[in-house]
């Protein structure tokens, strides 16, 4: 048998890209590729790119430029660009950087094997269509390799919300949900391979409405089906939109035992004026009332969010409203970003906030978020949590895993192994993790 070819994938951006990279590696596994951790010995390099913020495309071009030497030494080396920059730039990538052999958008990964074969004949391969078929179904020919205890599973892609700052509706396309039966089968398969916790992924995951046995199923319906999968212990999902939190999903947080008490629910701003200009179609107040209802269903739920500061026309007063909202919600985790112009989105045309002002606001917001995060993490000391152990910690004999609230927890115990789900009493709260002992 010939030497396997080597594939190097570099993944940028969100968890959906992490999932997609795994699927691409599996698809190319069928073409005789094995993964390598270094671009230097690769026969194919794939950049799985992200376009959500900052100068994403420019970063990709400069990264590609660095492969010039490699390609000169090894003319057979194939270089591909996948992900949202591929979708947004398309053919332009090959024009600007002739090193590139292959450009594939997020909806076309199932065509990678044919595209790779085409590059082997010396041709370029480009596919940034939005086909109707389920790309993941076509990507299934994978070896039944053992997996770690946690996995992502994409259930929905794309977005119809068109927030005024966001490229996702353009790069990932319209909302599409995968049929429930396929998701359940994929979950069962993951469990057979050692997975105990699944995070359901979608750009707008709670808008999920995939075909089920009796018509369309909602995300809550899907979660209840997954709750029945033997051997699966934990279910999470991300990312949600406030307007798609239906009653059944809120209720599931109180009643579905495998659904973890953690919810990422971005609000972006606390100012109704800015929310309106962002085309978010909810208000600060409707968001706060929603959180109240979620906390009624599950009082200990840990909230997480996303924020944009310095959105066009954001005044100090608007920003103050964001701080007020954060103070009220108290997030266990929150991600905040300075607004960054995405060409082609409506907000790109509007009067921009001064960069220094935005920087200063970002610092104030992050200081508040960090304070809350600390307080919440520290308040875990003395409590008993459930930890799904994932991997060895830095110290000998130590294992690290995640609590139901997604805090990292370290425990030193010689009997612990990856995949163990154990009760732990928290005794210390460190910089980014908790320490505890088995109960
Ligand atoms: N500028 C800054 N942040 C953005 N996000 C999305 N688009 C932009 C942009 N143009 C943030 C939002 C979103 C998260 C994934 O990225 O907060 O929820
Ligand atoms: Fe982008 Fe999320 Fe808004 Fe969709 S809901 S446009 S993915 S920020």
């Amino acid at each position: 048998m010939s030497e396997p070819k080597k594939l190097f994938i570099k993944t940028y951006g969100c968890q959906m890209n992490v999932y997609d990279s795994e699927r691409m590696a599996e698809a190319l596994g069928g073409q005789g590729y094995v993964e390598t951790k270094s671009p230097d010995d690769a026969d194919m390099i794939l950049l799985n790119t992200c376009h959500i913020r900052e100068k994403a495309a420019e970063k990709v071009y400069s990264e590609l430029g660095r492969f010039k030497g490699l390609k000169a030494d090894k003319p057979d080396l194939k270089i591909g660009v996948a992900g949202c920059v591929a979708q947004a730039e398309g053919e332009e990538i090959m024009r600007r950087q002739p090193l590139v052999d292959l450009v594939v958008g997020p909806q076309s990964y199932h065509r990678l094997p044919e595209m790779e074969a085409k590059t082997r004949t010396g041709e370029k391969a480009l596919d940034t269509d939005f086909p109707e078929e389920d790309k993941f179904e076509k990507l299934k020919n994978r070896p039944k390799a053992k997996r770690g205890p946690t996995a992502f599973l994409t259930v929905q892609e794309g977005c119809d919300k068109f927030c005024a700052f966001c490229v996702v509706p353009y790069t990932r396309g319209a909302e599409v949900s995968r049929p429930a039966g396929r998701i359940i089968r994929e979950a069962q398969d993951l469990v057979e391979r050692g997975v105990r916790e699944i995070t359901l992924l979608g750009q707008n995951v709670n808008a999920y409405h995939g075909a089920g046995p009796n018509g369309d199923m909602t995300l809550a319906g899907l979660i209840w089906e997954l709750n029945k999968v033997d051997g699966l212990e934990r279910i999470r999902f991300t990312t949600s939109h406030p307007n798609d939190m239906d009653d059944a999903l809120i209720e599931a947080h109180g009643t579905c035992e495998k659904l973890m008490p953690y919810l990422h629910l971005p609000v972006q701003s606390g100012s109704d004026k800015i929310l309106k200009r962002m085309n978010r179609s909810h208000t600060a107040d409707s968001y706060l009332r929603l959180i109240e209802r979620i906390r009624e269903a599950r009082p200990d739920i840990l909230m997480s969010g996303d924020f944009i500061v310095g959105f066009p026309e954001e005044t100090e007063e608007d920003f103050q409203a964001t701080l007020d909202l954060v103070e009220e919600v108290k997030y266990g985790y929150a991600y905040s970003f300075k607004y960054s112009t995405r060409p082609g989105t409506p907000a790109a045309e509007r009067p921009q906030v001064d960069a220094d002002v935005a920087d200063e606001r970002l610092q104030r917001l992050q200081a508040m978020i960090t304070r809350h995060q600390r307080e919440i993490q520290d308040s875990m000391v003395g409590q008993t949590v459930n930890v799904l152990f994932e991997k060895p910690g830095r110290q000998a004999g130590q294992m690290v895993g995640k609590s139901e609230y997604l805090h990292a927890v370290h425990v030193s115990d010689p009997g612990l192994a990856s995949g163990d789900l154990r009760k732990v009493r928290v005794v210390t709260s460190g910089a980014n993790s908790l320490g505890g002992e088995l109960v």
Side-chain angles (χ1 to χ4, degrees):
M1 232 182 84
S2 63
E3 273 273 299
K5 287 177 283 185
K6 294 207 172 120
L7 171 67
F8 172 73
I9 305 189
K10 181 161 177 180
T11 307
Y12 301 80
C14 67
Q15 291 150 331
M16 193 168 289
N17 270 7
V18 175
Y19 178 87
D20 284 348
S21 289
E22 287 172 6
R23 301 292 83 73
M24 287 195 275
E26 286 168 358
L28 290 170
Q31 307 291 106
Y33 279 91
V34 294
E35 273 194 89
T36 170
K37 292 204 177 331
S38 150
D40 300 332
D41 62 351
D43 299 285
M44 176 154 202
I45 295 175
L46 265 183
L47 301 183
N48 192 9
T49 61
C50 170
H51 200 240
I52 196 105
R53 286 177 296 272
E54 279 131 41
K55 304 185 177 59
E58 293 313 312
K59 276 190 206 155
V60 170
Y61 286 115
S62 78
E63 181 84 33
L64 287 169
R66 270 183 250 151
F67 298 138
K68 216 169 242 168
L70 279 181
K71 188 129 177 174
D73 293 344
K74 197 193 236 178
D76 271 353
L77 170 66
K78 300 298 174 196
I79 296 178
V81 181
C84 292
V85 173
Q87 188 66 43
E89 298 271 297
E91 228 173 325
E92 175 64 15
I93 296 182
M94 290 167 172
R95 261 198 298 273
R96 259 186 75 176
Q97 183 44 275
L99 284 180
V100 174
D101 301 285
L102 181 153
V103 173
V104 59
Q107 301 312 324
S108 307
Y109 295 154
H110 55 292
R111 304 213 177 110
L112 257 181
E114 313 152 34
M115 293 176 74
E116 188 273 345
K118 190 170 170 193
T119 66
R120 292 286 154 208
T121 69
E123 280 182 72
K124 302 232 180 223
L126 169 84
D127 195 331
T128 51
D129 288 346
F130 283 115
E132 288 291 306
E133 58 217 291
D134 184 336
K135 65 176 178 181
F136 299 122
E137 196 61 16
K138 291 265 169 63
L139 284 175
K140 260 191 350 196
N141 67 344
R142 59 176 172 267
K144 290 254 174 189
K146 200 84 186 110
R147 305 258 325 216
T150 64
F152 295 128
L153 202 174
T154 294
V155 304
Q156 177 277 331
E157 265 196 282
C159 181
D160 299 339
K161 296 280 191 293
F162 289 91
C163 298
F165 50 81
C166 186
V167 281
V168 166
Y170 310 95
T171 57
R172 292 273 173 170
E175 253 175 36
V176 179
S177 296
R178 299 179 65 200
R182 289 183 189 166
I183 295 166
I184 307 290
R185 276 200 300 281
E186 194 169 327
Q188 284 163 339
D189 175 67
L190 287 169
V191 168
E192 279 165 27
R193 292 158 68 195
V195 170
R196 307 193 74 188
E197 170 180 311
I198 290 178
T199 302
L200 306 175
L201 295 181
Q203 264 93 22
N204 224 317
V205 72
N206 58 341
Y208 175 82
H209 53 88
N214 312 307
D216 271 9
M217 208 179 250
T218 62
L219 184 65
L222 181 65
I223 288 170
W224 281 108
E225 283 305 307
L226 289 167
N227 199 52
K228 294 184 204 152
V229 173
D230 273 342
L232 180 63
E233 305 290 346
R234 291 173 154 193
I235 304 166
R236 304 181 187 277
F237 60 89
T238 195
T239 292
S240 297
H241 191 287
N243 289 8
D244 292 317
M245 285 303 296
D246 63 21
D247 293 347
L249 188 54
I250 295 173
E251 198 185 309
H253 278 96
T255 50
C256 181
E257 60 275 21
K258 292 183 185 175
L259 185 58
M260 292 293 104
Y262 179 100
L263 180 62
H264 184 60
L265 196 62
V267 63
Q268 313 296 355
S269 169
S271 151
D272 287 344
K273 177 193 101 189
I274 294 296
L275 286 171
K276 198 162 179 154
R277 290 181 189 185
M278 285 177 164
N279 192 30
R280 288 288 295 180
S281 60
H282 58 77
T283 63
D285 193 53
S286 69
Y287 178 83
L288 290 171
R289 275 185 285 125
L290 175 61
I291 290 193
E292 231 168 73
R293 290 178 54 215
I294 296 165
R295 283 182 168 153
E296 263 162 38
R298 181 76 200 222
D300 62 336
I301 199 160
L302 191 137
M303 293 302 306
S304 146
D306 286 343
F307 293 88
I308 295 177
V309 303
F311 186 77
E313 300 168 89
E314 183 190 70
T315 62
E316 175 59 28
E317 197 186 344
D318 295 319
F319 176 66
Q320 194 57 50
T322 298
L323 293 179
D324 292 346
L325 181 141
V326 171
E327 193 63 66
E328 181 149 355
V329 175
K330 293 204 165 59
Y331 292 90
Y333 291 95
Y335 307 88
S336 46
F337 314 101
K338 206 162 69 153
Y339 171 70
S340 123
T341 317
R342 306 288 75 195
T345 58
E349 313 294 323
R350 303 188 193 152
Q352 306 289 312
V353 169
D354 188 78
D356 294 341
V357 172
D359 278 330
E360 190 266 340
R361 286 180 191 162
L362 186 64
Q363 280 178 24
R364 275 150 71 200
L365 176 60
Q366 289 186 337
M368 181 181 274
I369 287 169
T370 308
R371 175 163 61 79
H372 292 159
Q373 206 163 309
R374 265 251 67 84
E375 284 168 11
I376 291 171
Q377 195 194 296
D378 291 349
S379 76
M380 300 310 297
V381 175
Q383 293 196 40
T384 297
V385 294
N386 290 303
V387 178
L388 176 59
F389 288 94
E390 291 173 29
K391 55 182 189 234
R394 261 193 235 125
Q395 287 165 28
Q398 195 184 49
M399 288 290 290
V400 58
K402 297 275 167 59
S403 77
E404 51 273 66
Y405 308 105
L406 221 54
H407 288 121
V409 184
H410 289 87
V411 174
S412 291
D413 192 292
L416 277 177
S418 169
D420 286 355
L421 184 59
R422 304 286 296 270
K423 279 203 179 326
V424 171
R425 208 176 68 84
V426 179
V427 285
T428 58
S429 174
N432 293 307
S433 65
L434 298 167
E437 49 200 30
L438 295 183
V439 173

